[in-house]
Structure formats: C-alpha cells, structure tokens
Amino acid sequence: DYPSIPMVIGKGFRVFPAGWKDLQATKGLIEFSRLHADPKLLGHLFTTWGVKKDALLDFPPLVEGLKLLRETRKA
C-alpha cells in the first residue's frame, strides 16, 4: 500500500512514482499506481544507484517493470 500517491494527487499535485532496486516493491508500486489512475499520475520513474550502464538492460526492476507497464497498455 502506498497511501502517499492518492493523498498527494488529492491535494492537486502531479505524481511521478519511482521504484529502485527491490523488484517486488517496484512491481507493487506500479500495480498500486494503476489502481489510482489519474491525469496527475505521470507514469513511473525507474531509478538506479550504482548500476553500470552496461548492466541496465538486465536490471530486474527495469526489465520486469517495463513488462508490467506494457501489459497495462494492452489491457
């Protein structure tokens, strides 16, 4: 549960949720965000700290998160 997302949207702010290195937390954040679809919800930001650029294409939160976002578009 990420109560800050609907709370901040409800106050009129735009929200750009960001996941980091934990795969399950990133997937949970994306799934929770989908439940609160709103024009003020700008998408999802993938962040990394210390991942070398050559390893980005294999970074699990990015790979799996993008799959989940693609599934969302098709639905």
Side-chain angles (χ1 to χ4, degrees), residues 21-59:
K21 69 177 184 176
D22 186 284
L23 176 58
Q24 294 308 315
T26 297
K27 289 170 85 172
L29 181 58
I30 291 169
E31 291 170 351
F32 185 84
S33 296
R34 279 194 297 186
L35 298 174
H36 298 279
D38 184 280
K40 290 183 176 69
L41 184 65
L42 301 179
H44 184 82
L45 176 67
F46 293 94
T47 63
T48 66
W49 295 92
V51 176
K52 295 185 190 274
K53 70 178 182 177
D54 295 341
L56 281 176
L57 295 178
D58 298 320
F59 187 58

